[in-house]
Amino acid sequence: MTLLDFAKGPALWAAISVFIIGVLWRLVGIALLHYHTDLSAPRHRLYLTGLRLPLTRSWPRKEFVGATGVFEAIGYTFHICWFVPLFFFLPHLLFFDDIVKGLIGFDLTDLTGFGWPFLSAALIGLFSAISIGCLLLVLAHRLINPVKRRLSNFDDFFSWFITIAPLLTGVAATAHVGARYETLLAVHVLSIDLLLLWFPFGKLIHAITLMGIRGITGALLERKGATL
Amino acid sequence: MTAPAPRYDVEGVLSDEQRAAAATNAFVRDFGPVAALYLDSCIHCGMCAEACHFYEVTKDPKYTPVLKVEPLKQAYKREYGPFALFFRLFGLKRRVTAAELEQWQELLYDSCTLCGRCSLICPVGIDIASLIAETRYGMAAAGLVPHELWQAAEAAATGSPSGLDAETFRQRIAALEAEHHVVVPVDKPTAKIFATVSDTDLLHYPASIVAMAKLLNHLGCDWTLSSTAFDATNAGVVAGRADVEQAVSRRLIQAALDCEADIMLLPECGHAYGSLRWRGATAYGEELPFRILHITEFLAEQVTSGRLHFRPLNTSVTFHDPCQVARRGGVIEAPRIVLAALGAELREMFPTKGMNWCCGGGGGVVNIQRADKLRHRVFELKREQIDATEADLALTSCSGCRRTFDDAQAHLHWETSLRSLLELAAEHLPEAPA
C-alpha cells in the first residue's frame, strides 16, 4: 500500500468515522444536559423573532465596527476563500464523486442530470492564496495582539495549523513543488484526515454550532425584549 | 493562561481543597446545554474586550470578558463536558484550584458589572455576561466573594442588605410620611399593587419612596408596602449567593401572593428588576399570577393609557439607561415615553439605549471599596458621554447608578448630578407645587 493509498483509504475512513462519531458525541452530550424551564412571563409572545440574530450578528453593530470590522472582514474572507477550493476545484469534485459512489453505489450526477460547477485552477489558486494570506494575518494578530495572546491556548494554534495545512499542501500538490506529485497529494489528503480527526475535539466545532448559538441567544434575549 | 495579580477576600473556614471542590460542584451543578454550547464554541477572538468599559479604559487584556469565565470553562471541560473523561485521563485540563479562584476574584467582581455589553459584540453569539454570573455562583460556594458583597448577602437573606428589620422600616416610613405629608400604606392585608423599595433608596434616596407614594396616590391606586418583604434589592444576585437570591425572591413573591396583588411594582433598581422580573418565577418554582413591573414601565403604561399627565418640564435632558433594566431587561422605550410626556427635550448620548456604556458600579462593584480607583477611571467614559450632550439634566431609573454617579461626581469634582426620573415625574404632577 502506497502512502497515497493509505491516506485516501483507511486513514480517510478512520478520520471520517472519528469526525462523525466525535461531533455526534459532543453535540448529543451537550443536548442531554439538564435544561431549566424559564417560568417568567415573556415580554413578547413572538420571541422567536430573536432568531434573526444569526443574520444580524453576521456583521458588527455600528458602535463596534471600528474596533472589530477589519478582523471580521478578514475572517469572512479566509472562510470563503477556504471553502471555494474545497467545493469548486474539479479534482475535489471527482474525489467527492468517488466517495459518494462508494457509499451509495451510483453517481449522483446520473440521478440529478446536472453536475456541480467548478472553477479554473488559476482561480482556485488565487482563492487559496488569499485564504493563506488571511490566515497568516490572523496568526500574526493572535501573536501580537495582547488580548488574543492572553486568551490563546494549544487549541487555537493547532486549529490554525490544521486549517492552513490543507491549503498549503493543496497548492504545493497542484504546483508540483517540493516532491513527487503522488507524495504531495498523499500529504494533502493526510492533512485533510488530520483536520477531520481534530474537528470534534477543538474550537473548530464552532463551524457547526455558531448559527445555532446565535439563534438560541437571540430567542432568549428577545423573550425579555433585551438588546440583541 | 497567565494569572492576574492576587487581590481577594476569603469567607468561611473551608480548606483550599474544600473551596476548590465547592466551586467546581457549584459550577457544574446547574450546568445547562446553553452554557455548555457557549463554552464549547468560543473561538478566542478577543472581540469582547472591545465592548467592555474596564478594557476600554485600561487596555489591560486581563479585563477581557471571556477570560473571566476561565475557571468555569476549566471545570466544565474537565468534570462535566462530553469529553471530560479524556481531559481527565490524559491530564489535558487541570483541576480548578483555590489559588486560581482567589486570583480570579478581582476579575469576576471588581471589574465586571454584569452589564452585558460584551454579549452584544461576540460574533459567535455567546451571552458572556450570563456565564460570568454563573461563575460568580461557584465563587460564592467557595466563600471567595468580596466581603462587602458577602455581608450584604448575609443580611439580605433575612431582611435587607443593610440590615434593616421590619420595625426600623415601619419607623422610617412613618418619618417620611410625617416629613413629606404623604400617605404610605404598609402591611395592608390585600392590595392591587404590591410595591417594593430598594435598600439604596431607604439609605440614600428616600425622596424616591416619597415620589412613588405621591404618584400612586395621585393615580388613586390600591397599593401597599410590606414591612416583612419590602426590599427588592437582591444582594444574592451580585454576590453569587444562589441561596440568598432564591430566599429574597421567594419572600417577596409570597408576600405579593398573600396580598392578592395584580402587580408587583419594583423600584428604580437594576438588579432588583433582573432578579424578580426575569428570574423570580423560576426561583419561586411556578408561573406567577401577577405582573412584575419596573416603576418606569408602570408610569409609561399610565401615560400611554391617558391616566397620567405632567406639568411641562421645559428643559433639555439626557437619559442614562441602566444595564439590567434596559440592555438586559428590555425596558428601553418606557423612560422615553415618560420623558416625552414631561415635555423634555431628550438629547440621547452616543451610544445610547441598549448599547449605552455602563456607569461602572453595577454588579455590586460600587460597594467594593478596593475597586474604587478602577471604577473612577471607568466612569470617565460616562462623564464624556453626558458632557457631550450638553443637556441641562442627567436622569436615570436606577438607584445603584445614582450612587455610582454621586460617588464619582464627588471624586471627579464634576458639576453634573444624576437625578431620578421617578422623582422628577412626581415633582411635575399637576397638583404638585411648582
Side-chain angles (χ1 to χ4, degrees):
Chain A
M1 183 184 281
T2 65
L3 185 61
L4 182 58
D5 290 337
F6 170 74
K8 289 169 68 175
L12 179 64
W13 287 108
I16 290 173
S17 305
V18 169
F19 172 82
I20 293 171
I21 294 167
V23 167
L24 284 176
W25 181 272
R26 191 162 175 180
L27 295 182
V28 171
I30 289 172
L32 290 178
L33 293 176
H34 179 62
Y35 184 79
H36 293 274
T37 308
D38 186 347
L39 297 171
S40 65
R43 186 179 301 281
H44 305 305
R45 285 189 185 280
L46 295 171
Y47 55 84
L48 288 181
T49 52
L51 290 175
R52 69 182 183 276
L53 195 69
L55 185 67
T56 57
R57 195 57 69 85
S58 296
W59 188 246
R61 292 168 156 275
K62 65 177 186 296
E63 292 87 351
F64 298 140
V65 75
T68 65
V70 171
F71 267 86
E72 285 225 20
I74 289 173
Y76 281 119
T77 310
F78 125 63
H79 279 92
I80 291 166
C81 292
W82 196 94
F83 280 104
V84 166
L86 177 65
F87 291 119
F88 297 98
F89 188 38
L90 184 59
H92 289 168
L93 301 182
L94 296 173
F95 182 64
F96 295 149
D97 253 3
D98 275 352
I99 292 179
V100 172
K101 222 182 284 181
L103 281 173
I104 61 176
F106 57 87
D107 195 332
L108 267 183
T109 313
D110 296 340
L111 187 72
T112 58
F114 58 86
W116 193 260
F118 58 89
L119 299 173
S120 69
L123 266 178
I124 293 297
L126 179 66
F127 278 109
S128 302
I130 293 171
S131 192
I132 289 168
C134 290
L135 275 163
L136 290 173
L137 278 175
V138 166
L139 178 66
H141 197 238
R142 188 166 287 288
L143 293 171
I144 294 165
N145 180 273
V147 168
K148 274 190 173 177
R149 209 169 52 224
R150 182 67 177 268
L151 290 173
S152 297
N153 57 19
F154 171 79
D155 185 16
D156 295 305
F157 293 109
F158 191 64
S159 294
W160 177 89
F161 168 70
I162 60 168
T163 305
I164 200 170
L167 289 167
L168 293 173
T169 56
V171 169
T174 312
H176 297 217
V177 176
R180 285 177 56 239
Y181 174 71
E182 285 74 15
T183 308
L184 290 170
L185 189 58
V187 172
H188 178 55
V189 178
L190 282 172
S191 73
I192 298 288
D193 296 346
L194 189 60
L195 175 66
L196 291 169
L197 276 172
W198 179 249
F199 188 97
F201 305 102
K203 65 187 271 188
L204 295 178
I205 196 79
H206 78 269
I208 290 174
T209 58
L210 183 135
M211 286 298 174
I213 288 176
R214 285 185 189 171
I216 289 167
T217 301
L220 291 175
L221 294 180
E222 183 77 348
R223 190 176 191 282
K224 299 193 285 185
T227 306
L228 296 185
Chain B
M1 191 170 69
T2 318
R7 198 180 181 193
Y8 56 87
D9 289 340
V10 180
E11 314 294 342
V13 289
L14 299 176
S15 68
D16 281 355
E17 289 72 25
Q18 287 171 323
R19 285 186 199 284
T24 302
N25 289 338
F27 285 150
V28 300
R29 187 182 52 212
D30 291 325
F31 216 87
V34 176
L37 270 175
Y38 286 163
L39 290 180
D40 261 346
S41 304
C42 176
I43 54 172
H44 288 177
C45 68
M47 288 183 188
C48 49
E50 302 293 343
C52 175
H53 40 318
F54 290 97
Y55 175 79
E56 174 72 15
V57 167
T58 63
K59 297 297 176 195
D60 188 333
K62 74 177 180 179
Y63 296 129
T64 304
V66 82
L67 182 69
K68 295 170 184 173
V69 304
E70 196 60 33
L72 178 70
K73 187 175 177 179
Q74 207 170 314
Y76 161 71
K77 294 249 176 184
R78 184 186 157 86
E79 314 293 344
Y80 206 57
F83 296 123
L85 183 67
F86 298 101
F87 279 110
R88 285 200 298 272
L89 204 62
F90 299 111
L92 298 174
K93 281 278 175 207
R94 288 178 291 112
R95 261 182 223 284
V96 174
T97 65
E100 272 176 304
L101 296 174
E102 287 161 0
Q103 288 158 354
W104 245 255
Q105 191 181 108
E106 185 215 349
L107 302 183
L108 286 162
Y109 288 97
D110 302 29
S111 56
C112 180
T113 56
L114 303 173
C115 79
R117 207 164 182 271
C118 52
S119 301
L120 302 183
I121 199 172
C122 176
V124 179
I126 298 170
D127 183 6
I128 302 166
S130 70
L131 292 177
I132 295 177
E134 192 116 2
T135 314
R136 281 193 181 190
Y137 289 123
M139 295 294 284
L144 293 169
V145 176
H147 68 272
E148 298 94 336
L149 303 190
W150 184 270
Q151 285 160 10
E154 288 281 294
T158 51
S160 79
S162 56
L164 291 179
D165 59 16
E167 185 50 36
T168 317
F169 175 73
R170 279 193 291 268
Q171 288 171 5
R172 288 269 173 104
I173 295 298
L176 288 176
E177 282 185 303
E179 187 182 345
H180 296 275
H181 310 292
V182 63
V183 176
V184 184
V186 178
D187 293 335
K188 280 168 65 176
T190 61
K192 293 288 182 196
I193 298 176
F194 178 83
T196 58
V197 299
S198 88
D199 197 60
T200 309
D201 285 342
L202 280 165
L203 294 175
H204 301 278
Y205 309 115
S208 273
I209 299 169
V210 174
M212 178 176 73
K214 282 181 177 173
L215 278 155
L216 292 174
N217 292 340
H218 171 81
L219 289 162
C221 296
D222 170 23
W223 70 287
T224 188
L225 288 167
S226 162
S227 64
T228 53
F230 55 88
D231 181 28
T233 314
N234 201 324
V237 176
V238 293
R241 289 281 302 270
D243 54 334
V244 174
E245 179 182 353
Q246 196 168 39
V248 171
S249 293
R250 283 183 174 177
R251 185 170 62 226
L252 286 155
I253 288 168
Q254 192 56 54
L257 288 170
D258 294 344
C259 194
E260 297 171 17
D262 293 333
I263 293 173
M264 178 191 276
L265 195 57
L266 301 180
E268 288 187 319
C269 175
H271 288 283
Y273 189 71
S275 63
L276 277 159
R277 175 65 180 89
W278 296 117
R279 291 192 298 282
T282 307
Y284 191 73
E286 56 188 68
E287 291 179 8
L288 303 177
F290 53 81
R291 299 166 70 210
I292 301 177
L293 295 177
H294 187 272
I295 184 75
T296 314
E297 284 180 293
F298 177 77
L299 295 182
E301 283 189 4
Q302 302 306 309
V303 166
T304 307
S305 64
R307 285 193 290 273
L308 184 58
H309 303 276
F310 303 106
R311 285 182 292 109
L313 180 63
N314 293 330
T315 191
S316 62
V317 303
T318 189
F319 186 77
H320 166 71
D321 296 275
C323 307
Q324 301 304 322
V325 183
R327 173 163 42 247
R328 305 288 286 171
V331 183
I332 292 174
E333 293 309 320
R336 288 161 176 85
I337 290 170
V338 177
L339 286 170
L342 278 160
E345 179 205 338
L346 177 59
R347 297 184 184 175
E348 295 281 10
M349 302 174 202
F350 181 81
T352 187
K353 299 185 177 177
M355 291 300 296
N356 215 323
W357 284 109
C358 172
C359 64
V365 175
V366 69
N367 296 314
I368 305 171
Q369 203 175 359
R370 68 186 185 208
D372 284 356
K373 199 174 161 188
L374 179 62
R375 178 166 53 81
H376 290 146
R377 284 182 70 190
V378 164
F379 189 81
E380 288 284 2
L381 275 177
K382 198 79 237 172
R383 176 161 84 161
E384 285 169 18
Q385 264 191 301
I386 290 182
D387 283 347
T389 67
E390 297 182 351
D392 295 326
L393 280 178
L395 299 168
T396 195
S397 55
C398 172
S399 52
C401 296
R402 288 178 73 193
R403 268 197 67 205
T404 306
F405 268 72
D406 288 352
D407 179 74
Q409 185 189 11
H411 178 79
L412 299 169
H413 307 294
W414 188 36
E415 289 175 359
T416 308
S417 297
L418 187 67
R419 295 207 52 206
S420 150
L421 177 60
L422 170 63
E423 290 175 24
L424 193 77
E427 285 167 17
H428 287 77
L429 284 173
E431 294 86 349

